[in-house]
Amino acid sequence: MTTEEERTTRPAGSARRALAGRLSWGLADQAASSISNFAVGIYVARSLGLTAFGLFSLAWVTYGVVLNVSRGLATDPLVVRFSGVPDADWRPAAARASGTALGVGAALGTASLAAGLALGGALGTAFACLGVVLPGLLLQDAWRFAFFAAGDGRKAFVNDVVWAVALVPALVAAARVGGVPAFLLAWGGSAAVAAAYGCVQSGVRPRPGGARAWLRDHRDLGSRYLVENVTNSGASQLRAYGLGAIVGVGAVGVVRGAELLLGPFLAVLMGLSLVTVAEAARVLRRAPHRLGTFCLLLGGGQAVAALLWGGALLLVPDAAGAFVLGDVWSGASGLVVPVTVGVAAAGLGTGAAAGLRALGAARRSLRSQLVASACYVAGGLGGAALAGTSGSAWGVAAATSAGSAVWWLHLRSALREHHENSLTEARTS
């Protein structure tokens, strides 16, 4: 790993090539990860039908909440404060961050297992199985962010390829057994294989015992990122549970099916999100006046790409869609337009979010997320009450657009404050 002094002396062309390389590995890594998730979703949708897919989707959304708890406490502070640092600083930070992620997985996995056993029935069994696989899932995700913080996205890509390869025989076995629990165990069990391989790749052993010190040292960021992340994923969970209660569990499967259709673009969106904060932090250190332009190009490019992909989906023949999603296609295809609008707005907002995190403006970032999440829940559930599944999709699209505007307003204010603080420091130095 190069030192900060070495990086700042690179020619502009070399720096651009390095940036392109890191972004490329981010896209490649997310492609591998999304292929795994997409394969599981398609397998369940085709094999078990709409109701079972709805149950699987509820467990999936819950996993998203737990994942964001882990990221807020463990890997978000790692990426913000240990991106591009010397290896001697990165290794102990990665050990404590990954140990924190593993501890979060064990604690919340136990809670999910207990809740599932108490709940009983098909839904309870799904949550119990989710609890079993959470530690491996969260550790695997922690390695991905640790590798990108180190500027070595290739290792993250290889790790996700290992997960995808391990998933193939696991899915075959799950198909023979049948049922949502089998697919959840196959998905999470194969992630545990990749998590173990991540220890080999990094040469770092997770240190759960260092979690307390990690949380204490980074509580200024971790506490706010925890609330921000959980608010984000929790809004999705509330929307899913509310939609299931208002319209039915099948409606949750229909919405998830529409999101699967946006899967390839979401792979790009999520792949970029792995590296955007680290890259924005690098831009801030080297050329702070370019941060706003960087964020605008990042968010605007994602929004345009989402609209193009959604337009292409409208041309897909019904026969082809039914072949991919089975019975889920008929309902999901009608939600392509609102889901595309929502994803485009979210893509635009991620540019501003990356800038706020690079600036360390955790308070502004949290405020933005709280407003955006409140709009998301209100739009999703209000739309469901008024017009069912379609109304929920359009309500979320409108809410996400409003939330994106809030992110950009806060970034503009944060950039102005940073500029004023820099001038003040220059005058007093």
Side-chain angles (χ1 to χ4, degrees), residues 13 21 43 45 54 59 96 115 150 159 200 241-243 261 270 275 280 311 317 360 367 373 381 386 404 421 426:
Y43 232 78
R96 291 192 297 163
N159 192 272
V200 177
Y241 288 167
L243 184 61
L261 294 175
M270 296 176 67
V275 294
R367 290 174 183 171
S373 296
L381 297 186
L386 292 174
S404 180
N421 291 337

Side-chain angles (χ1 to χ4, degrees), residues 290-321:
R290 295 179 179 173
L291 181 60
T293 301
F294 173 83
C295 295
L296 182 60
L297 291 174
L298 176 67
Q302 290 178 92
V304 171
L307 294 174
L308 291 175
W309 182 263
L313 287 176
L314 296 176
L315 304 178
V316 174
D318 286 339

Side-chain angles (χ1 to χ4, degrees), residues 293-387:
T293 301
F294 173 83
C295 295
L296 182 60
L297 291 174
L298 176 67
Q302 290 178 92
V304 171
L307 294 174
L308 291 175
W309 182 263
L313 287 176
L314 296 176
L315 304 178
V316 174
D318 286 339
F323 175 78
V324 174
L325 290 180
D327 295 339
V328 178
W329 167 257
S330 59
S333 60
L335 302 183
V336 168
V337 174
V339 170
T340 297
V341 172
V343 170
L348 183 61
T350 57
L356 284 173
R357 292 205 166 186
L359 289 164
R363 183 174 299 176
R364 287 191 177 278
S365 182
L366 176 58
R367 290 174 183 171
S368 300
Q369 188 58 64
L370 289 174
V371 173
S373 296
C375 291
Y376 184 94
V377 173
L381 297 186
L386 292 174

